[in-house]
Every structure is written in C-alpha cells, then in structure tokens.
Amino acid sequence: MSLTVDAPTGREPGGSVTDPPARDRSRTRRERSRLVQFATWIVATVLVVGPLVPVVWASLWTVPLYDDGGAFTLDNYGDLLSDGAWWTAVGNTVVFAILTTAGALVLGAALAVLLQRVDMPGSRIYRSLVLGPVVLPGLPLMLGWIAMYSPAGYVTSWIERNTPLPIFWNLYSVPGMALVAIGSLTPLMYMVIGSAMSTLDSTLENAARVNGASPLRALFSVTVPMLRPGMLNAGVICMALSLEVVGIPLLLGTSSNIDFISTYLVDNWSNEFPPRQGLVSAGAVMLLGVMTLLLVLRNRFAGDLARFTTTTGKPTASLPITVGRVRWLMSAFVGCYFAITLIIPAIGLFLTAFTTVLTPYIDPWDVATLDNFSTVLENPVFRRSIVNSLLIATIGGALTTLAVTTIALVAHRSSFRYRRSLQYVTLYPRAIPGIVTGMAFFWSFVVIDPNGIVRSSLWGIGLAFAVRSLALGYSAFYPALAALGEDLERAARVSGADWLTAMRTILVRLLRPAMAVSYVLLFVALFADYDPALFMVSPGNEVIGLTMLNLWITGVAGPVAALGIIQLVVTAVVLGTARLVFGRISNG
Amino acid sequence: MAELSITSLGKSFGDVRALDSVTIVAEEGKLLTLLGPSGCGKSTTLWSVAGLHTPDTGTISIGDRVVYDAERRVEVPPEDRQCGVVFQSYAIWPHMSVADNVGYPLKLRKVAKAERRNRIEEVLALVELDHLGGRYPHELSGGQQQRVALARSLAYQPRLLLLDEPFSNLDAKLRERARDWLRDLQQRVGITTVFVTHDQDEALSMSDRVVVMNAGRVAQIGTPEEVYGDPADGFVADFVGSINLVPGEIVRVDGDDADFVVEGTSDPVRVRVDGGARVGPGRLGVRPEAIAIVGEGDADRLGTVRGIALEHRFLGDHYRQTIGVGNARVSVQTPLASIPEHPVLRFPDVCKVFPASTDQQPRPSVPTPQETP
C-alpha cells in the first residue's frame, strides 16, 4: 500500500527525542500550564481568605489598622461580650432566625409537595411564580411589603378603616420582621426541598401504592420522611441567611430600636463616635465563626456540595397525586399565599412609585405622578447608583465568569497539587456574611492601599461583590463541567495539546453555554447586591441597593420605589432575554 | 526490536493493587491485546502508556525513549508521548467538524494549511469517511464516530496506537465487521498497536499476541493459539473460551501419561499431560469441542468415560450438551441434538490438569515475578 500512513519511521517534526528545541518547547508549555494553575490558586485564595486576615487582626489590635502603633489585645472581645446591647442583638437575631426558619421551612415544604406532586389547578402558573423572588432582587419587593403591611401601610390602614378585623401583626417587631423574611426565603426553601424531592426515586412511592397505600398515604409515609435530609439542609441554609440579614433590620428595626447582630455592628461602626471598629471586628469574627460552623454542618448533611446547585424546574418522573375536590381548596390556599407575599407587595411597590403619597384615604389616581422617576433620573446619587450597579454587573459579571471558569477547570480538570482546596475556597464565600465581606475588604484596602484610591473607587466594591458571588457562579457552572466526559480533554492531550491548550480549545468552547448562564446569574446577583457596600460606600461609588436602603430610612419613599422598579425591570429584561436566547439555542 | 516495553509497572489505590509488576513487550508493527475481566488493570496499563495515569513504580519506554521511570522521576506528559489513542467513548469533540477533529493534532504541530488539508483527506480516505469531512459528530452513526476517532489518532503518524475497548459501543454485527476492518487497517499501516478488550473473541481473532491479565497481574502472554490451546492456569483457561474444569484426582503419573479419576467415579481415565503433573487432587481442563462422543465399541478404551445425558441447548451452529460424569457436569459440543442416554466421552489426547483450588497461579509460564499470596 502506498499510503503515507506507513510504519512510523519518518518522525514528524518535534517528535524525536534527540530534538532539543522540541523538548525545550514542551517544557515551556508545561511550565505555562503550571503557572496558570498556580496563579489561579494563589489569586483565588488571596481574594477569598486573604481579606479575612485583617478583620481578625483588627479585632485583636488596640487601635484601628489605619493608625500607627497599637498592640495585641483581647479587650475588643471583652468589650463585646460584656456589652448588654450585643446580647440583646444576638437574642433578637436568634429568635428571628428560628421563627424565619420554622416558617419558611414549613411553607417551602408544603409548596414543594403541592406544586410538584399534587395534581392541582394552576400549578403550572404557580411553579413559575415561585421562582420570581429567587432570581429577582429582594429589596424592592421588601419595600412593597412595608408599603402595604406596615402599621401605616395601605392594606393595614384599609382593614382598620373598612373592617372590624383586628390587626394582629406589626412589621416593626421581631415576629413581624420574621414574616417579611419568611416571605422572601420561602421560594428558596421551595427550591432546595423541591430539588431534593425530584432526586427521590419515584418507584419507592409506587411500591407503596402497589402494596395498597392510597396516593396521599404513600406521599406521607414514603416521600415526606425521605425528605428529612433535604429539609435539614434547607433549614441550615435558611438559618445562616437569617443570621446575616441586614436589609430587614435596617428597614424595619431602626424605628423601634430593635437591633440585630448586623445592625449592631453597622451602628457601632458608623453611628458611634469614635467608631468602635475593634469591637465591630470582633463581632464580625464571631459571626463568621458561627456561619462557618453552619456551612460545615450543612456539608455534612448535603454530602456533596455540588448536589445543591441551581436545579430549576427539573420535571419529576413520578405521576402527580390526585386528591379529588380538595385540590381546589389547595389551589386556593397556594393562590392566597402568592397574593399576600408576592402580588400585593408588588402592587404596593408599583403604587408607591407612581403616586406622591400612598394611603387608602386618597384615591391613588388623584395623586398619580411620574415625578418619582424624573427625580431618579435627575438626582446625581440615584443616577450614579444605577450606572455603578450596571457597571459592576456587566463588567464584574464577565470577569467573575472568567474567574469561575478558570477556577473550576483547575479544581476539577487539572493535576495541580492543591486543586481540591480550590473548590472549598470558592464555596467558602457562602459562609461569609455580606457585611463581613465588606468589612474585610475595607480593612484590606486600609492595609495595602492607605490612600484609599481603590477603596473609594468602584473597583473596591466590585471586587468585594465579585468575591461574594463566586460560590453562586461556581454552582451554576459546575454541573455543566461535571457532565463533560474527561475523555474529551484526554483526547486533546494525547493529540499533542498541553493542559492550557486542551482547556482553551476544547473545554472552554464546549462550556460556553454554561458560562453564559453563569454570567446571567452573576449579572443579576451583582446588580442586586448591597450588603458589602455598607462598609465601603463613599460619595461616588454608591450602588442601587444601598441607595434604596439609605434613602428609604430617611423617608424618601416614592423615588426609592421608582428606583426599585427600574432595578426589577432591568433584571427581568436581562433574564427574559437570556431565556429567549438560550431557549432558542437548546431548541435548535 | 521492541517498540513498547513496560517493565515492573505497579500501581496501588489504597490497599488495592491495581497493577502488580506488569511487564509487557509489544513488538514493532504488531497488534498486542490486553485481555481480562473488568478491573484487571488492562485499561490502567494502557492509560499509563498514554500518560493519562501515573503509575507508582516501573518503567515505560516507547522505542528508545523512556517516557516513564519511577526511580529516575521521568514522566513525559501525554502530549509529548506521540501516542494515538482511541477512547471507549470515542471522545470526538462535538463542537468541531469531522475534518477539524482529525486536523486538530496537525494544527497543534503547526502543519501548514495545505498540507494539513491533504493529510486530513488522506486519513479520512483510509477510514473510508472521505466524503464526510464537513459533517459534525452528532450527524454520524456510532460506527462512523468510531472511525473518526481512529482517523484522528492516526492523523499525525503516532508511534503507538492505543485502543481502549473501541468496539464496546457497537452492536454485535457491526462489531464483527469493525474488527476485521481494523485488523486489516492496522496491518496496512503497520503501526504498533495495543488493544484493550474484555471480549475474548475480539482478542483471539485480531491479535498477534495476547496478554491475559487478572487482578493486576499478567497471567499469560502468548499468541492467540497458545493462550487458547495451552492456558497457563485455570483462570486463563476459564476466561479465554469456555472450558470444563472437571474436579478429581491424579492417582498415577507415568511419564507424560496420567490416570485421572473424576470425582464421584471409580475408574481412572488415561490422559496425556506432557509432564509436570503430580499425584493428588486437581481439575482436568477440557474444552467442550475437544470432547468426542464415541460409540459403545470404544467404551473400554483408555481415555474414555461414561456419563448421563442431562440436558442440551441449541446454540445456532451447534448443540451444547450437559453430561453428568460422577459429580461433575461436563459441557460437550455436538452437531446434533440427540445423543445416547449414557454417552461414552473421549477426552482429547493432550489435557491439562490444574490445581484443585480455584484461580491460583500454579505453573507460571510467564516471566513475571510471582509472589505467594
């Protein structure tokens, strides 16, 4: 045969042992891959864990880190633990967290069972409604809650005026704040429990049916008990989120002087003179410790972190359970839930934004106005907030997506020595409360950038937001990576590609859709985030969320609601566009 | 001259020894098969050669180049080993066209565009896919995908071709054709090839030499005929083809002849064992097709034994009879369904007697260091 695929006697260029340039080239290529892997590890670790070092340092130091001198001390912890206000704040936070977790878990589990397993009218609409609060920014809706249900709110006043019903709730109390939190966390609980439920083997339930159990009986004797690990996991997540919550106590607790851990720290930082920064750092370290413990606990329950990623709307293979006429009752119950937690607050936000004053005593049409929106567009603070948030979301989202991709590839697809630690580093920001992230970056910039050039720029806040969102981007990205067979890059390696080339030409290309999804989620998260900015904000680097929070507290309702609407609309447009584009890709 | 030589390769996963002193030499231009049950270490060996797995001990050289040496800390990365690999999953990149897949190794080697195009055409013609260069992988059938994977692995003229169970995703009929086709192609190209499979038919029909592996060790190396006809131990005998391992006892050894008493019978059967046999319990290894059912007239001859017909099964081109002999159930291959109720079986002239205990390695015929367990 005269084919050129002859016996491999004529060695191709670069193949022979005795070809020194080829060996050198291969060595440089190998060095290049290692360099990238090592740099990724260093940068990720420094950005995630590094900023926590100055917080711990500040908590153990007599003077703020921006002052000279100082010495080691434990006094900050002593001051904190002997401060009655701290313990009151801890007590409030714990009661709030327990109430919130209990409420959100029960409602979340009920919704998961009703929407995913029971044949109920309207469940399709409900299933899409329930996802809204998970992806849309939470703050605007919370403002809607206040506009409607606070003691002076529209619904409350309306009931007082037109019905003999007693008003049994008060949003400006710990249980009232728990109500708001339940409203915003239940959808998340629904998702976590629902995805645990969809991984259950439906044949188990069928087995109970075959043995004579009625559909409901099978549900409660087989499925519900098996959900216990999922519930436990969801409970720990909910507890952690309730402990670090900032927005709710700032909005609702300030007027009645109810402090939470977060507001206690913020107050002592910015409203005391001189600011008690050592004490605040000590509080932050303790909060961080508790959150880390909760994360460890959760990993115990969840086993594998990757399993608790963003599983959305995975269709269950099991048949829905038919329950006869009760289904109408159930549907009505779920309908009421959505009306109270979602639709009425949304209307509240909308009305606040489009009226000069919202009260049942005046017909909203008489006070309808667009002034709030023109205020937003004319006021430099509002305008800057929008521009800044958009910048952080678009550019920060892109950079974070790149970072997440690189980190995930090094962590899961390289032979780098410390690759395993990288995964934990990336997921750790989940355990770091937003305000602690903010404080951590504040202190870090104080140490490495004493002039405050970065700290007062948008880059500082953007970096803090990005680090905080690493875990989210990673969770969205990882399942797609895990689904790609490793043979694909092995084939590239044996074809002659070094690690970096194999990743670039094969995996990154194949992962583009996952990167896009990751980018959209990061955009939405970064656009809505505000917690870390509490400690970093200065004129010029405001972001939407914080501006809304600060101005609402000072009593500016209308323009803030208008800003909230703008935030919601931008987010919805981004999500909708993404859905359209990706839907088309997956269909074609 | 050895194109691939593997010496004392070892690999442990915790307490499990995945590879235990594996020593294999693959001759230039020949096709060598690694055959064994799943988990025997055959794929680990192959991947160690490709550089996708790092063994713990031993050396691997391709031609005169050492690509792995545990002691001298030599480990050439996979991209510099010049091995073409066909994966079980094919691992064709779905985002590239067939031509781009095949051209990828050439692009990495900075082959000029025109030359690259020629080469792609040439290799695709070799695997009979010359008209499909513009297609994408999802538009191809399983058999075509497999040939793309092969074309890609051959595109840059590697020194070794490594195939990891390449036919396991094809259906039975296609697999048989692919086997002949690949063997033919390998001989035309003349590339040293290492082929991993758990399918004994594949191994026997394609290979120049077969390495039978078991529990991380090499059980036997030989031509297909040697491995089938003269298995080194009970494991090889049992794994390669089907064999009766009839329990019993050697009661007398006389040079190359021995008298074997099947368990549950009293009369000895005279078999030739070609030396090496010892008096004591053992298992007589005979292949079903090597046993003949003879007429009553031969009943008293040496080397025959009488049994009871128990059942038979139709297997297409022959029947598989199960015949009770003493305590043993012996499989015999016959062309017809009907046999006498008490058939007389004649064992082949040369038989092998394996030790009574199962799956041990009694007579090492392989130059591997043996350890007593």
Side-chain angles (χ1 to χ4, degrees):
Chain A
M1 284 279 151
S2 60
L3 289 158
T4 40
V5 198
D6 293 324
T9 40
R11 298 272 182 261
E12 59 295 329
S16 161
V17 199
T18 49
D19 182 2
R23 298 203 88 174
D24 284 353
R25 197 161 61 235
S26 97
R27 187 163 303 149
T28 10
R29 281 189 303 162
R30 223 178 314 163
E31 300 290 304
R32 191 177 70 167
S33 292
R34 278 213 197 114
L35 195 72
V36 169
Q37 294 166 359
F38 196 67
T40 308
W41 184 74
I42 288 279
V43 171
T45 310
V46 164
L47 281 181
V48 172
V49 184
L52 299 177
V53 175
V55 183
V56 178
W57 179 12
S59 78
L60 294 168
W61 211 246
T62 48
V63 298
L65 300 184
Y66 45 76
D67 286 341
D68 293 334
F72 175 83
T73 179
L74 284 173
D75 285 354
N76 291 325
Y77 287 91
D79 290 349
L80 182 77
L81 297 179
S82 59
D83 185 356
W86 161 255
W87 290 110
T88 312
V90 169
N92 287 337
T93 312
V94 169
V95 171
F96 166 83
I98 290 172
L99 287 176
T100 305
T101 307
L105 261 189
V106 170
L107 278 174
L111 280 181
V113 170
L114 288 176
L115 298 191
Q116 294 194 358
R117 297 307 324 281
V118 176
D119 176 30
M120 190 178 70
S123 52
R124 272 185 65 129
I125 300 168
Y126 292 150
R127 271 200 292 268
S128 48
L129 268 183
V130 76
L131 291 178
V134 181
V135 286
L136 293 174
L139 195 55
L141 206 62
M142 216 182 288
L143 301 180
W145 270 76
I146 299 173
M148 289 313 220
Y149 302 128
S150 70
Y154 193 90
V155 170
T156 320
S157 317
W158 189 87
I159 291 177
E160 266 177 343
R161 192 179 161 206
N162 299 313
T163 72
L165 297 172
I167 301 297
F168 57 87
W169 68 86
N170 172 17
L171 285 198
Y172 297 121
S173 70
V174 174
M177 288 190 254
L179 273 183
V180 179
I182 290 169
S184 66
L185 286 175
T186 298
L188 184 67
M189 295 299 100
Y190 160 83
M191 273 184 63
V192 176
I193 298 171
S195 76
M197 201 157 75
S198 66
T199 58
L200 289 184
D201 187 356
S202 65
T203 53
L204 294 173
E205 207 172 271
N206 292 340
R209 297 281 301 277
V210 173
N211 280 308
S214 72
L216 267 185
R217 179 73 191 255
L219 181 71
F220 281 100
S221 56
V222 178
T223 306
V224 171
M226 284 186 59
L227 277 180
R228 226 174 282 162
M231 298 270 290
L232 212 54
N233 174 46
V236 177
I237 295 177
C238 193
M239 192 64 110
L241 290 175
S242 324
L243 286 183
E244 64 155 317
V245 72
V246 187
I248 291 178
L250 273 182
L251 286 173
L252 298 169
T254 317
S255 60
S256 41
N257 272 327
I258 302 175
D259 255 340
F260 279 19
I261 295 177
S262 54
T263 45
Y264 171 88
L265 298 181
V266 173
D267 278 348
N268 277 295
W269 182 280
S270 40
N271 298 342
E272 290 282 319
F273 194 81
R276 303 165 74 184
Q277 289 170 333
L279 171 131
V280 170
S281 302
V285 170
M286 299 194 63
L287 183 59
L288 181 67
V290 172
M291 294 286 285
T292 307
L293 268 179
L294 281 175
L295 183 82
V296 171
L297 203 66
R298 182 179 157 229
N299 289 355
R300 281 274 167 81
F301 297 146
D304 185 359
L305 286 167
R307 275 172 36 211
F308 288 87
T309 48
T310 52
T311 322
T312 46
K314 183 187 169 199
T316 46
S318 38
L319 285 171
I321 294 165
T322 47
V323 289
R325 293 232 179 104
V326 190
R327 65 204 176 108
W328 292 103
L329 199 72
M330 288 175 163
S331 182
F333 165 75
V334 177
C336 278
Y337 165 81
F338 281 117
I340 291 170
T341 61
L342 199 60
I343 294 164
I344 293 179
I347 294 173
L349 178 73
F350 190 80
L351 290 180
T352 311
F354 284 98
T355 56
T356 45
V357 55
L358 179 65
T359 146
Y361 303 99
I362 305 171
D363 183 352
W365 282 113
D366 295 342
V367 284
T369 175
L370 284 174
D371 286 355
N372 292 328
F373 286 89
S374 50
T375 309
V376 168
L377 296 181
E378 281 156 18
N379 181 308
V381 175
F382 282 118
R383 240 187 13 229
R384 260 204 316 267
S385 304
I386 296 176
V387 172
N388 285 348
S389 280
L390 277 175
L391 278 175
I392 289 178
T394 44
I395 298 170
L399 294 178
T400 313
T401 305
L402 280 182
V404 162
T405 308
T406 317
I407 288 172
L409 290 178
V410 174
H412 297 281
R413 295 304 178 94
S414 80
S415 54
F416 180 61
R417 185 189 301 223
Y418 307 114
R419 62 185 182 277
R420 288 198 67 84
S421 66
L422 204 49
Q423 186 184 350
Y424 296 108
V425 164
T426 316
L427 289 172
Y428 186 50
R430 270 195 190 162
I432 309 177
I435 49 168
V436 176
T437 306
M439 202 185 302
F441 274 91
F442 173 85
W443 283 130
S444 303
F445 289 133
V446 163
V447 174
I448 57 173
D449 169 38
N451 296 327
I453 297 163
V454 181
R455 176 160 48 98
S456 57
S457 78
L458 204 55
W459 288 101
I461 287 187
L463 195 63
F465 281 19
V467 167
R468 193 163 129 82
S469 65
L470 272 183
L472 171 77
Y474 182 82
S475 316
F477 179 79
Y478 175 73
L481 176 63
L484 274 190
E486 288 186 37
D487 280 355
L488 291 168
E489 80 241 31
R490 289 192 188 116
R493 292 298 296 278
V494 296
S495 296
D498 64 329
W499 181 82
L500 204 59
T501 312
M503 293 299 123
R504 199 168 44 79
T505 55
I506 307 293
L507 283 196
V508 172
R509 296 288 166 90
L510 290 171
L511 286 167
R512 271 181 191 169
M515 288 170 73
V517 169
S518 199
Y519 175 71
V520 171
L521 288 177
L522 285 169
F523 179 98
V524 169
L526 293 171
F527 193 56
D529 203 3
Y530 59 87
D531 292 12
L534 271 169
F535 289 95
M536 303 176 79
V537 77
S538 55
N541 65 1
E542 300 94 341
V543 291
I544 288 190
L546 196 59
T547 302
M548 282 162 67
L549 206 60
N550 284 337
L551 290 177
W552 183 278
I553 292 168
T554 60
V556 187
V560 171
L563 188 58
I565 297 242
I566 292 173
Q567 193 186 27
L568 278 179
V569 167
V570 170
T571 310
V573 165
V574 168
L575 284 172
T577 314
R579 204 180 172 127
L580 247 135
V581 172
F582 298 147
R584 199 168 292 156
I585 286 174
S586 63
N587 288 338
Chain B
M1 177 198 164
E3 181 60 10
L4 166 69
S5 84
I6 300 171
T7 318
S8 325
L9 211 60
K11 172 84 182 170
S12 299
F13 295 108
D15 287 340
V16 183
R17 302 218 64 177
L19 293 181
D20 192 353
S21 302
V22 170
T23 298
I24 296 169
V25 171
E27 288 164 48
E28 169 131 30
K30 296 289 168 61
L31 194 151
L32 178 95
T33 301
L34 304 181
L35 173 67
S38 57
C40 72
K42 55 191 192 301
S43 289
T44 312
T45 307
L46 190 83
W47 285 25
S48 300
V49 173
L52 297 169
H53 244 275
T54 306
D56 300 333
T57 57
T59 60
I60 301 171
S61 10
I62 300 173
D64 48 4
R65 182 178 184 197
V66 177
V67 293
Y68 177 78
D69 188 333
E71 268 172 34
R72 285 167 47 212
R73 295 175 153 272
V74 175
E75 189 181 1
V76 176
E79 60 265 27
D80 296 328
R81 291 199 183 188
Q82 317 284 342
C83 294
V85 182
V86 175
F87 293 85
Q88 188 172 358
S89 61
Y90 310 148
I92 306 172
W93 303 304
H95 61 300
M96 295 184 188
S97 69
V98 167
D100 288 342
N101 262 281
V102 175
Y104 184 84
L106 303 170
K107 210 167 169 183
L108 288 171
R109 286 170 177 73
K110 306 208 160 49
V111 176
K113 206 166 183 182
E115 197 188 330
R116 198 161 77 216
R117 197 168 335 115
N118 288 339
R119 181 69 195 160
I120 292 169
E121 266 172 32
E122 210 168 32
V123 184
L124 282 179
L126 186 72
V127 299
E128 297 158 24
L129 289 177
D130 31 355
H131 52 298
L132 296 181
R135 293 262 185 104
Y136 278 85
H138 68 270
E139 299 167 324
L140 302 179
S141 70
Q144 288 170 331
Q145 289 187 11
Q146 190 228 343
R147 282 187 276 162
V148 173
L150 188 65
R152 184 179 64 190
S153 66
L154 289 173
Y156 68 95
Q157 294 169 327
R159 315 181 66 172
L160 271 184
L161 179 61
L162 308 176
L163 306 151
D164 185 15
E165 309 226 9
F167 304 138
S168 60
N169 291 331
L170 302 180
D171 61 57
K173 201 77 197 160
L174 202 55
R175 193 181 302 185
E176 221 160 281
R177 264 176 41 209
R179 202 188 281 169
D180 296 343
W181 176 84
L182 180 69
R183 176 59 170 159
D184 178 55
L185 183 123
Q186 187 269 334
Q187 282 176 338
R188 269 192 292 158
V189 176
I191 182 170
T192 312
T193 303
V194 181
F195 185 95
V196 160
T197 183
H198 63 267
D199 183 329
Q200 38 138 341
D201 290 342
E202 238 165 67
L204 295 178
S205 65
M206 293 179 62
S207 322
D208 291 305
R209 301 210 320 145
V210 178
V211 180
V212 185
M213 294 185 71
N214 180 28
R217 298 174 178 215
V218 173
Q220 186 172 8
I221 300 182
T223 63
E225 290 83 358
E226 283 166 0
V227 170
Y228 187 83
D230 186 19
D233 58 35
F235 170 80
V236 177
D238 197 29
F239 191 79
V240 182
S242 53
I243 196 164
N244 294 296
L245 291 168
V246 185
E249 191 175 356
I250 297 178
V251 292
R252 198 178 64 87
V253 179
D254 176 13
D256 285 345
D257 291 336
D259 285 346
F260 186 85
V261 178
V262 178
E263 212 173 87
T265 65
S266 48
D267 294 333
V269 191
R270 170 65 56 86
V271 290
R272 273 193 64 185
V273 289
D274 281 345
R278 280 192 301 270
V279 172
R283 290 176 301 161
L284 186 70
V286 258
R287 303 229 177 249
E289 72 275 14
I291 302 175
I293 295 178
V294 293
E296 286 295 325
D298 293 319
D300 295 330
R301 281 179 47 181
L302 290 171
T304 62
V305 65
R306 191 181 288 275
I308 306 167
L310 296 175
E311 58 181 40
H312 65 267
R313 204 163 282 170
F314 179 52
L315 292 177
D317 54 351
H318 67 270
Y319 287 86
R320 173 73 44 107
Q321 307 280 351
T322 304
I323 295 164
V325 178
N327 295 342
R329 293 162 70 89
V330 176
S331 288
V332 179
Q333 192 172 313
T334 61
L336 297 171
S338 69
I339 55 167
E341 203 176 320
H342 293 280
V344 178
L345 308 184
R346 196 182 71 221
F347 289 137
D349 290 344
V350 182
C351 296
K352 264 194 116 132
V353 180
F354 300 105
S357 53
T358 51
D359 291 345
Q360 292 303 308
Q361 310 215 344
R363 287 176 21 194
S365 68
V366 194
T368 35
Q370 298 288 327
E371 291 163 4
T372 42

